[in-house]
Amino acid sequence: EESDEEYGPAPLPDAPALGSNVDYGGALRPGEGAAIAQYVQKNMRIPRRGEVGWSGDEIERLESVGYVMSGSRHARMNAVRLRKENQIYSAEQKRALALITFEEKQQRENKLMGEFRDMLQ
């Protein structure tokens, strides 16, 4: 019997939709990069397998008591998760850097336009 349940973190319900042109790299399932990126953008802990539905604080409290979450005990799963998370972090950093560069360019252009207007008056 097949289930319609998807694997990996689900998109946050109130997060704004990301542009379709964002490339998070390969080896990610469709929508997985965007779903993980929503957690990164909100500066939240990315849920691991078996942790979906729990808040980051609840998970940390359970782990501090001694519980081992299912996604934490397999070295290979951990390596894959870290690689995917790092892919998302680097893509988000590139996106943020591009946004900052664009804003700085706009400020320089606005300053230059202001100087031209002053010269014409």
Side-chain angles (χ1 to χ4, degrees), residues 11-77:
L12 294 173
D14 60 338
L18 294 173
S20 59
N21 60 353
V22 179
D23 180 24
Y24 292 108
L28 293 173
R29 299 182 63 119
E32 185 179 18
I36 294 173
Q38 288 178 358
Y39 287 94
V40 172
Q41 290 168 355
K42 290 191 168 206
N43 201 22
M44 294 173 62
R45 183 181 192 273
I46 299 169
R48 299 176 188 142
R49 184 176 178 182
E51 297 177 352
V52 176
W54 293 81
S55 74
D57 296 332
E58 292 172 326
I59 293 168
E60 288 176 22
R61 191 176 68 241
L62 289 171
E63 287 178 339
S64 70
V65 173
Y67 287 95
V68 177
M69 304 307 279
S70 64
S72 302
R73 65 180 152 186
H74 302 290
R76 185 165 182 219
M77 279 177 69

Coordinates of all heavy atoms in Angstrom, one line a residue, residues 11-77:
P11 N 7.1 22.5 3.5 CA 7.2 23.9 3.5 C 6.4 24.5 4.7 O 5.3 24.0 5.1 CB 6.5 24.3 2.2 CG 6.5 23.1 1.4 CD 6.5 21.9 2.3
L12 N 6.9 25.6 5.2 CA 6.1 26.3 6.3 C 4.9 26.9 5.7 O 4.9 27.5 4.6 CB 7.0 27.4 6.9 CG 8.2 26.9 7.6 CD1 9.1 28.0 8.1 CD2 7.8 26.1 8.9
P13 N 3.7 26.8 6.4 CA 2.5 27.3 5.8 C 2.4 28.8 5.6 O 1.8 29.2 4.6 CB 1.4 26.9 6.9 CG 2.2 26.6 8.1 CD 3.6 26.3 7.7
D14 N 3.0 29.6 6.4 CA 2.9 31.1 6.2 C 4.1 31.7 5.5 O 4.2 32.9 5.5 CB 2.7 31.7 7.6 CG 3.8 31.5 8.5 OD1 4.5 30.5 8.4 OD2 3.9 32.3 9.5
A15 N 5.0 30.9 5.0 CA 6.2 31.5 4.4 C 5.9 32.0 3.0 O 5.1 31.4 2.3 CB 7.3 30.4 4.3
P16 N 6.5 33.1 2.6 CA 6.2 33.6 1.2 C 6.8 32.6 0.2 O 7.8 31.9 0.4 CB 6.9 34.9 1.2 CG 8.0 34.8 2.2 CD 7.4 33.9 3.3
A17 N 6.1 32.6 -1.0 CA 6.6 31.7 -2.0 C 7.9 32.2 -2.6 O 8.1 33.4 -2.8 CB 5.5 31.6 -3.1
L18 N 8.8 31.2 -2.8 CA 10.1 31.6 -3.4 C 10.0 31.7 -4.9 O 9.2 31.0 -5.5 CB 11.2 30.6 -3.0 CG 11.5 30.5 -1.5 CD1 12.4 29.3 -1.2 CD2 12.1 31.7 -1.0
G19 N 10.9 32.4 -5.5 CA 10.9 32.5 -6.9 C 11.3 31.2 -7.5 O 12.1 30.4 -6.9
S20 N 10.8 30.8 -8.7 CA 11.1 29.6 -9.3 C 12.5 29.5 -9.9 O 12.9 28.4 -10.3 CB 10.0 29.3 -10.4 OG 10.1 30.3 -11.4
N21 N 13.2 30.6 -9.9 CA 14.5 30.7 -10.5 C 15.6 30.4 -9.6 O 16.8 30.5 -9.9 CB 14.7 32.0 -11.2 CG 14.6 33.2 -10.3 OD1 14.3 33.0 -9.1 ND2 14.9 34.4 -10.8
V22 N 15.3 30.1 -8.3 CA 16.3 29.8 -7.3 C 16.9 28.4 -7.5 O 16.1 27.4 -7.6 CB 15.8 29.9 -5.9 CG1 16.8 29.6 -4.9 CG2 15.2 31.3 -5.7
D23 N 18.2 28.2 -7.7 CA 18.8 26.9 -7.9 C 19.5 26.5 -6.7 O 20.5 27.2 -6.2 CB 19.8 27.0 -9.1 CG 20.4 25.7 -9.4 OD1 19.9 24.6 -9.0 OD2 21.5 25.7 -10.0
Y24 N 19.1 25.4 -6.0 CA 19.7 24.9 -4.8 C 20.7 23.8 -5.1 O 21.2 23.2 -4.1 CB 18.6 24.5 -3.8 CG 17.8 25.6 -3.3 CD1 16.5 25.8 -3.7 CD2 18.3 26.6 -2.5 CE1 15.7 26.9 -3.3 CE2 17.6 27.7 -2.0 CZ 16.3 27.8 -2.4 OH 15.5 28.8 -2.0
G25 N 21.0 23.5 -6.3 CA 21.9 22.4 -6.6 C 21.2 21.1 -6.9 O 20.0 21.0 -6.8
G26 N 22.0 20.1 -7.2 CA 21.5 18.8 -7.5 C 21.2 18.0 -6.3 O 21.5 18.4 -5.1
A27 N 20.8 16.7 -6.5 CA 20.6 15.7 -5.5 C 19.5 16.1 -4.5 O 19.5 15.6 -3.4 CB 21.9 15.3 -4.8
L28 N 18.6 17.0 -4.8 CA 17.5 17.4 -3.9 C 16.2 17.0 -4.6 O 16.1 17.1 -5.9 CB 17.5 18.9 -3.7 CG 18.6 19.4 -2.8 CD1 18.5 20.9 -2.8 CD2 18.6 18.9 -1.4
R29 N 15.3 16.5 -3.9 CA 14.0 16.1 -4.5 C 13.2 17.4 -4.8 O 13.5 18.4 -4.3 CB 13.2 15.3 -3.5 CG 13.9 14.0 -3.1 CD 13.1 13.2 -2.1 NE 11.8 12.9 -2.8 CZ 11.4 11.6 -3.0 NH1 12.1 10.6 -2.6 NH2 10.3 11.4 -3.6
P30 N 12.3 17.3 -5.8 CA 11.5 18.5 -6.2 C 10.8 19.1 -5.0 O 10.1 18.5 -4.2 CB 10.4 17.9 -7.1 CG 11.0 16.6 -7.6 CD 11.9 16.1 -6.5
G31 N 11.1 20.4 -4.8 CA 10.5 21.1 -3.7 C 11.3 21.0 -2.4 O 11.0 21.8 -1.4
E32 N 12.2 20.1 -2.3 CA 12.9 19.9 -1.0 C 13.8 21.1 -0.7 O 13.9 21.6 0.4 CB 13.8 18.7 -1.1 CG 14.5 18.3 0.2 CD 15.3 17.0 0.1 OE1 15.6 16.6 -1.0 OE2 15.6 16.5 1.1
G33 N 14.5 21.7 -1.7 CA 15.4 22.8 -1.5 C 14.6 24.0 -1.1 O 15.0 24.7 -0.1
A34 N 13.4 24.3 -1.7 CA 12.6 25.4 -1.3 C 12.1 25.2 0.1 O 12.0 26.2 0.9 CB 11.4 25.6 -2.3
A35 N 11.7 24.0 0.5 CA 11.2 23.8 1.8 C 12.2 24.0 2.9 O 12.0 24.6 3.9 CB 10.6 22.3 1.9
I36 N 13.4 23.5 2.7 CA 14.5 23.7 3.6 C 14.9 25.2 3.7 O 15.2 25.7 4.7 CB 15.7 22.8 3.2 CG1 15.4 21.3 3.4 CG2 16.9 23.2 4.1 CD1 16.5 20.4 2.9
A37 N 14.9 25.8 2.5 CA 15.3 27.3 2.5 C 14.3 28.1 3.3 O 14.8 29.1 3.9 CB 15.3 27.7 1.0
Q38 N 13.1 27.7 3.4 CA 12.1 28.5 4.2 C 12.5 28.5 5.7 O 12.4 29.5 6.3 CB 10.7 28.0 4.0 CG 10.1 28.3 2.7 CD 8.8 27.7 2.5 OE1 8.2 27.0 3.4 NE2 8.2 27.9 1.4
Y39 N 13.0 27.4 6.1 CA 13.5 27.3 7.5 C 14.8 28.1 7.7 O 14.9 28.8 8.7 CB 13.8 25.8 7.9 CG 12.5 25.0 8.1 CD1 12.0 24.3 7.1 CD2 11.9 25.0 9.4 CE1 10.9 23.5 7.3 CE2 10.7 24.3 9.6 CZ 10.2 23.5 8.5 OH 9.1 22.8 8.7
V40 N 15.7 28.1 6.7 CA 16.9 28.9 6.8 C 16.6 30.4 6.8 O 17.1 31.1 7.6 CB 17.8 28.5 5.6 CG1 19.0 29.5 5.5 CG2 18.3 27.1 5.7
Q41 N 15.6 30.8 5.9 CA 15.3 32.2 5.8 C 14.7 32.7 7.1 O 14.8 33.9 7.5 CB 14.3 32.5 4.7 CG 15.0 32.3 3.3 CD 14.0 32.2 2.2 OE1 12.8 32.2 2.4 NE2 14.5 32.2 1.0
K42 N 13.9 31.9 7.8 CA 13.3 32.3 9.1 C 14.3 32.0 10.3 O 13.9 32.2 11.4 CB 12.0 31.5 9.3 CG 10.9 32.0 8.4 CD 9.6 31.4 8.8 CE 8.5 32.1 8.0 NZ 7.3 32.1 8.7
N43 N 15.5 31.6 10.0 CA 16.5 31.3 11.0 C 16.0 30.3 12.0 O 16.2 30.4 13.2 CB 16.9 32.6 11.7 CG 18.3 32.5 12.4 OD1 19.1 31.6 12.0 ND2 18.5 33.3 13.4
M44 N 15.4 29.2 11.5 CA 14.8 28.2 12.3 C 15.7 26.9 12.1 O 16.3 26.7 11.1 CB 13.4 27.9 12.0 CG 12.4 29.0 12.3 SD 10.8 28.7 11.6 CE 10.3 27.2 12.5
R45 N 15.6 26.0 13.1 CA 16.3 24.7 13.0 C 15.6 23.9 11.9 O 14.4 23.8 11.8 CB 16.2 24.0 14.3 CG 16.9 22.7 14.4 CD 16.7 22.1 15.8 NE 17.5 21.0 16.0 CZ 17.3 19.7 15.7 NH1 16.1 19.4 15.1 NH2 18.1 18.7 16.0
I46 N 16.4 23.3 11.0 CA 15.9 22.5 9.9 C 15.5 21.1 10.5 O 16.4 20.4 11.1 CB 16.9 22.3 8.8 CG1 17.3 23.6 8.2 CG2 16.4 21.4 7.7 CD1 18.4 23.6 7.3
P47 N 14.2 20.7 10.4 CA 13.9 19.4 11.0 C 14.5 18.2 10.2 O 14.6 18.3 9.0 CB 12.3 19.4 10.9 CG 12.0 20.3 9.8 CD 13.1 21.4 9.8
R48 N 14.9 17.2 11.0 CA 15.4 16.0 10.4 C 14.3 15.0 10.3 O 13.2 15.2 10.7 CB 16.5 15.5 11.3 CG 17.7 16.5 11.4 CD 18.7 15.9 12.4 NE 19.7 17.0 12.7 CZ 20.2 17.2 13.9 NH1 19.9 16.5 14.9 NH2 21.1 18.2 14.0
R49 N 14.6 13.9 9.7 CA 13.6 12.9 9.5 C 13.1 12.4 10.9 O 13.9 12.2 11.8 CB 14.3 11.7 8.8 CG 13.3 10.6 8.5 CD 14.0 9.5 7.7 NE 13.0 8.4 7.5 CZ 13.3 7.3 6.9 NH1 14.5 7.1 6.4 NH2 12.4 6.4 6.7
G50 N 11.8 12.3 11.1 CA 11.2 11.9 12.3 C 11.0 13.1 13.3 O 10.4 13.0 14.3
E51 N 11.4 14.3 12.9 CA 11.3 15.5 13.7 C 10.2 16.4 13.2 O 9.9 17.4 13.9 CB 12.6 16.3 13.8 CG 13.7 15.5 14.4 CD 15.0 16.2 14.4 OE1 15.1 17.3 13.8 OE2 15.9 15.7 15.1
V52 N 9.6 16.2 12.1 CA 8.6 17.1 11.5 C 7.4 17.1 12.4 O 6.9 16.1 12.9 CB 8.2 16.6 10.1 CG1 7.1 17.5 9.5 CG2 9.4 16.6 9.2
G53 N 7.0 18.3 12.8 CA 5.9 18.4 13.7 C 6.3 18.8 15.1 O 5.5 19.2 15.9
W54 N 7.6 18.7 15.4 CA 8.1 19.1 16.7 C 8.8 20.4 16.5 O 9.4 20.7 15.5 CB 9.1 18.1 17.2 CG 8.6 16.7 17.5 CD1 8.4 15.7 16.6 CD2 8.3 16.2 18.8 NE1 7.9 14.6 17.3 CE2 7.9 14.9 18.6 CE3 8.4 16.7 20.1 CZ2 7.5 14.1 19.7 CZ3 8.0 16.0 21.1 CH2 7.5 14.7 20.9
S55 N 8.7 21.3 17.5 CA 9.4 22.5 17.5 C 10.9 22.3 17.8 O 11.3 21.3 18.4 CB 8.8 23.6 18.4 OG 9.2 23.2 19.8
G56 N 11.8 23.2 17.4 CA 13.2 23.1 17.7 C 13.5 23.0 19.2 O 14.3 22.3 19.6
D57 N 12.7 23.8 20.0 CA 12.9 23.8 21.4 C 12.6 22.4 22.0 O 13.3 21.9 22.9 CB 12.1 24.9 22.1 CG 12.6 26.3 21.7 OD1 13.7 26.4 21.3 OD2 11.7 27.2 21.7
E58 N 11.5 21.9 21.5 CA 11.0 20.5 22.1 C 12.1 19.5 21.7 O 12.4 18.6 22.6 CB 9.7 20.1 21.5 CG 8.5 21.0 21.9 CD 7.3 20.7 21.2 OE1 7.3 20.4 20.0 OE2 6.2 20.8 21.8
I59 N 12.6 19.5 20.5 CA 13.6 18.5 20.1 C 14.9 18.7 20.9 O 15.4 17.7 21.4 CB 13.9 18.7 18.6 CG1 12.7 18.3 17.8 CG2 15.1 17.8 18.2 CD1 12.8 18.7 16.3
E60 N 15.3 19.9 21.1 CA 16.6 20.1 21.9 C 16.4 19.7 23.3 O 17.3 19.1 24.0 CB 17.0 21.6 21.9 CG 17.5 22.0 20.5 CD 17.8 23.5 20.4 OE1 18.0 24.1 21.4 OE2 17.9 24.0 19.3
R61 N 15.2 19.9 23.9 CA 14.9 19.5 25.3 C 14.9 18.0 25.4 O 15.5 17.4 26.3 CB 13.5 20.0 25.7 CG 13.3 19.8 27.2 CD 12.0 20.5 27.7 NE 10.8 19.7 27.1 CZ 9.9 20.3 26.3 NH1 10.0 21.5 26.0 NH2 8.9 19.5 25.8
L62 N 14.3 17.3 24.4 CA 14.3 15.8 24.4 C 15.7 15.3 24.2 O 16.1 14.3 24.9 CB 13.4 15.3 23.2 CG 11.9 15.5 23.4 CD1 11.1 15.1 22.2 CD2 11.4 14.6 24.6
E63 N 16.5 15.9 23.3 CA 17.9 15.4 23.1 C 18.7 15.6 24.4 O 19.6 14.8 24.7 CB 18.5 16.1 21.9 CG 17.9 15.5 20.6 CD 18.5 16.2 19.4 OE1 19.0 17.4 19.5 OE2 18.4 15.6 18.3
S64 N 18.5 16.7 25.1 CA 19.3 17.0 26.3 C 18.9 16.0 27.4 O 19.8 15.7 28.2 CB 19.0 18.4 26.8 OG 17.7 18.6 27.3
V65 N 17.7 15.4 27.4 CA 17.3 14.4 28.4 C 17.9 13.1 28.0 O 18.1 12.2 28.9 CB 15.8 14.4 28.5 CG1 15.3 13.2 29.3 CG2 15.2 15.7 29.0
G66 N 18.3 12.9 26.8 CA 18.9 11.6 26.4 C 18.2 10.9 25.2 O 18.7 9.9 24.8
Y67 N 17.1 11.4 24.7 CA 16.5 10.8 23.6 C 17.3 11.0 22.3 O 17.9 12.0 22.2 CB 15.1 11.3 23.3 CG 14.1 10.9 24.3 CD1 13.8 11.7 25.5 CD2 13.4 9.7 24.2 CE1 12.8 11.2 26.4 CE2 12.5 9.2 25.1 CZ 12.2 10.0 26.2 OH 11.3 9.6 27.1
V68 N 17.3 10.0 21.5 CA 18.1 10.1 20.2 C 17.0 10.1 19.1 O 16.2 9.2 19.0 CB 19.0 8.9 20.0 CG1 19.7 9.0 18.6 CG2 20.1 8.9 21.1
M69 N 17.0 11.2 18.4 CA 16.0 11.3 17.3 C 16.4 10.4 16.1 O 17.6 10.2 15.9 CB 15.9 12.8 16.8 CG 15.6 13.8 17.9 SD 14.1 13.3 18.9 CE 12.8 13.9 17.8
S70 N 15.5 9.9 15.4 CA 15.8 8.9 14.4 C 16.8 9.4 13.3 O 17.5 8.6 12.8 CB 14.5 8.4 13.7 OG 13.9 9.5 13.0
G71 N 16.8 10.7 13.0 CA 17.7 11.2 12.0 C 19.1 11.4 12.5 O 19.9 11.7 11.7
S72 N 19.3 11.2 13.8 CA 20.6 11.6 14.3 C 21.5 10.4 14.5 O 22.7 10.5 14.8 CB 20.4 12.2 15.7 OG 19.6 13.3 15.6
R73 N 21.0 9.2 14.4 CA 21.8 8.0 14.8 C 22.5 7.3 13.6 O 23.3 6.4 13.8 CB 21.0 7.1 15.6 CG 19.9 6.4 14.9 CD 19.1 5.5 15.8 NE 17.7 5.4 15.2 CZ 16.8 4.8 15.8 NH1 17.0 4.2 16.9 NH2 15.6 4.8 15.3
H74 N 22.2 7.6 12.4 CA 22.8 7.0 11.2 C 23.8 7.9 10.6 O 23.5 9.0 10.1 CB 21.7 6.6 10.2 CG 20.7 5.7 10.8 ND1 20.9 4.4 11.2 CD2 19.4 5.9 11.1 CE1 19.8 3.9 11.7 NE2 18.8 4.8 11.7
A75 N 25.0 7.4 10.5 CA 26.1 8.3 10.0 C 25.9 8.7 8.6 O 26.1 9.8 8.2 CB 27.5 7.6 10.2
R76 N 25.4 7.7 7.8 CA 25.2 8.1 6.3 C 24.1 9.1 6.2 O 24.2 10.0 5.4 CB 24.9 6.8 5.6 CG 24.8 7.0 4.1 CD 24.9 5.7 3.3 NE 24.9 6.1 1.9 CZ 24.3 5.4 1.0 NH1 23.7 4.3 1.3 NH2 24.3 5.7 -0.2
M77 N 23.0 8.9 6.9 CA 21.9 9.8 6.8 C 22.3 11.2 7.3 O 21.9 12.2 6.7 CB 20.7 9.3 7.7 CG 19.8 8.3 7.0 SD 18.5 7.7 8.1 CE 17.5 9.1 8.2

